[in-house]
Amino acid sequence: MKNVLLILLVVLLGFGVLAASQVEYVTYMPLAMKSGYYPGVPTFTPTPDPTATKTPRPPTPTPTATPTYVWAEGGNTCVHMDGAVRDKSTGGVIAGGLVPSLCSHMIVHDTQQDGKLVILRAIRIKTDTWGCEEGDFGYWPPIDFPCPSPDDPISEWGQILWGDYDVIKLDNSAQTVCGYCEECGEPYTRNCVEVRK
């Protein structure tokens, strides 16, 4: 009798587990509905895809004109050349050197030997004009260093010991660039450098 009760108990437990699994399965089944309204169930209205709008092209920027220098009536002309290299993108030359002051700017003084030799001189910008305004510098007024420059205007650590540094782009095939120095006497050049490639 005990065995029969035990077998019945096992069978009943099996049916109970099976029924419970069926209830759980039905409970978690996804709800499939036909279109229409069902009380207590929120309806879903699909959002239409947004229509693509064409972004307007921004206006072409107008380049700002570079102000022109206003040259002073005088000023020291000497330039001490530091170096010159060939500009691979344009074929010209980029030359750098020392000029007498923060308000001095290098320009081409002369070309010789069919453009192979270029002489650069310094020209003073008028005080309180573009390129030489009080807000451009930490101290005012800028000092013009006398010419000629010392023998070693740049220290072995690259520190400038005389004047100020300036760079100029030359649109030619110069091989030698010299610094002009009116105060140095003939041949009126401070020093010359070979253009490096």
Side-chain angles (χ1 to χ4, degrees):
M1 188 74 173
K2 276 185 175 181
N3 289 340
V4 173
L5 284 174
L6 190 58
I7 291 171
L8 278 172
L9 184 63
V10 169
V11 170
L12 285 173
L13 283 173
F15 277 117
V17 169
L18 184 62
S21 66
Q22 288 299 319
V23 168
E24 184 178 350
Y25 177 73
V26 170
T27 304
Y28 291 105
M29 280 290 288
L31 181 63
M33 300 187 310
K34 294 180 182 176
S35 61
Y37 174 73
Y38 292 83
V41 178
T43 57
F44 172 73
T45 306
T47 306
D49 292 334
T51 307
T53 56
K54 194 171 183 180
T55 305
R57 184 177 175 183
T60 305
T62 305
T64 305
T66 304
T68 55
Y69 290 113
V70 178
W71 304 118
E73 292 76 18
N76 297 329
T77 62
C78 48
V79 171
H80 181 91
M81 294 308 306
D82 181 43
V85 294
R86 183 79 51 212
D87 186 355
K88 294 179 181 176
S89 61
T90 64
V93 173
I94 300 173
L98 297 175
V99 292
S101 80
L102 290 162
C103 287
S104 297
H105 188 66
M106 280 193 297
I107 62 168
V108 175
H109 174 72
D110 191 18
T111 56
Q112 299 174 9
Q113 301 173 11
D114 296 329
K116 294 179 181 177
L117 174 68
V118 177
I119 301 171
L120 301 176
R121 68 187 280 253
I123 188 166
R124 186 71 155 74
I125 302 167
K126 191 172 181 181
T127 304
D128 278 334
T129 62
W130 181 75
C132 186
E133 296 177 279
E134 185 171 357
D136 298 336
F137 311 112
Y139 61 89
W140 193 259
I143 299 168
D144 262 358
F145 286 89
C147 297
S149 65
D151 291 334
D152 297 313
I154 300 176
S155 73
E156 57 186 299
W157 299 284
Q159 181 184 6
I160 297 173
L161 304 176
W162 174 83
D164 188 53
Y165 206 84
D166 194 22
V167 175
I168 187 172
K169 291 185 177 181
L170 307 171
D171 297 327
N172 55 45
S173 56
Q175 297 177 1
T176 305
V177 182
C178 297
Y180 181 74
C181 179
E182 188 175 339
E183 295 85 349
C184 296
E186 291 185 3
Y188 302 110
T189 52
R190 174 71 189 109
N191 69 319
C192 297
V193 294
E194 296 293 324
V195 176
R196 291 173 293 164
K197 294 183 180 180

